Amino acid sequence: MTIDAPLDAAVIGAGPAGLMAAEMIADAGRRVAVFEAMPSPARKFLMAGKSGLNITHVASDADLAAVYPNAPQRLLQAVTDFGPSRIQDWMAQLGVQPLTGPTGRVFPEQMKASPLLRAWLARLESKGVELHTRHHWIGWEESGELIFLTPDGQRSIPCRAQIFSLGGASWKRLGSDGSWLPAFETLGVPVSPFRPSNCGLRINWSDRMQAEFAGAPVKNVAVRFEDQSSREEFVITSRGMESGAVFTLSLSVRDALERACEATIHLDLLPDVSAEDVRHRLSRPRGKQSLSNHLRKTLNLAGVKRALLFEFGGLEAAEAPDQLARLIKHLPVPVIGLFPLDEAISTDGGISFEALDDHFMLKHRPGRFFAGEMLDWDAPTGGYLLTACLATGRAAGRGAVRWLNNAENT
Ligand SMILES: Cc1cc2nc3c(=O)[nH]c(=O)nc-3n(C[C@H](O)[C@H](O)[C@H](O)COP(=O)(O)OP(=O)(O)OC[C@H]3O[C@@H](n4cnc5c(N)ncnc54)[C@H](O)[C@@H]3O)c2cc1C
């Protein structure tokens, strides 16, 4: 598609944040085009849907304030203005019914992202939003025009408002590679370095644990770190632990590792049995049974949970029911690091909020707006990542419309 007349706005990055910004601008009757480096839009959004697209959470405003740690008021305002119930209405308008799981996580009824994305792209097209794929943004001309690398060579695009929604710095193969950061640093925009969020924890497993249990899910367990606790299951991998509870606690573990270079999480292997009951059952005469058999018969503790106990409990515990019970309820697991940045579900770091006004616009370069994961905010999984991406996309898109209107009226 060619761009014959100047655009009112260019959105760079066709993830959920950028598509939402484009929709707001098109709704205001403005001419908007979305530019995407990859051959197709929203690849990370589609990947997120592979294991069930947890698009939001039935959280109250108070809950929302708690899940975005250190978030500036602008972010909280955006997620309050376009929060869980508005996101569910928006899905329903696209013909996709929301489905709420037992822990309050909200999914599209088909669980996948593709039906929602298909309907959304069709609606955007019907509103006149242009989509240019294989356009990799690399910077600005002196005149302020956007420069893209395309299969047909370099291309400069004039436009009035620019909305950047380039994503974080993980899962590079899906397009979000964080390579945009130096361009903004050069412009004098304050940025924070990227850090992994919602990522796996590295554990120094024994060879036996790796060989026998890599890939094993650990179910019906509680994982604790400092004052946080999660009852979600997690998965053992050859390098450590990931998914569910591990992702939830990884933000605090990451901060602790940065502070003290060490962190120990604790597992409650039998969260539905009291410590006293565990001790009582273990005190039953063991006779000549092995400890494994005793654990299986008295507590139904076997398989990967028993292996975890032996891995971190130490054999001296075997003879003392009190100590063994304490370990089963509070098993220390030392964490030696985090999985690499590129494997993280999300990243924090990026464009600092101090650079932005209340409408997500660069204070010192009016007309340039930001949305989504490229902004410096952090949140656990649970639907809160996509909630903030959609909400900031909406806020930045509306901010751009406001700025265009003001510019014309002055
Ligand atoms: C495996 C996985 C599962 C996930 N599951 C969930 C979940 O269930 N719930 C949840 O809330 N979140 C989930 N997330 C996180 C969520 O997908 C992201 O937070 C979200 O997609 C970020 O949206 P965004 O629009 O800010 O950026 P992105 O979706 O990353 O989109 C940014 C776009 O910008 C493009 N781009 C980058 N640089 C350039 C450039 N220079 N020029 C042009 N285009 C460029 C990229 O190609 C990309 O398409 C998951 C992530 C992963 C990896």
Side-chain angles (χ1 to χ4, degrees), residues 319-332:
E319 302 305 321
D322 275 2
Q323 196 182 351
L324 192 50
R326 223 173 297 129
L327 284 169
I328 288 168
K329 295 296 288 177
H330 197 63
L331 183 70

Side-chain angles (χ1 to χ4, degrees), residues 239-260:
R239 290 173 299 166
M241 301 156 69
E242 59 180 330
S243 294
V246 170
F247 287 165
T248 304
L249 301 186
S250 64
L251 281 65
S252 315
V253 173
R254 175 198 63 203
D255 294 346
L257 284 169
E258 281 177 6
R259 268 194 322 268

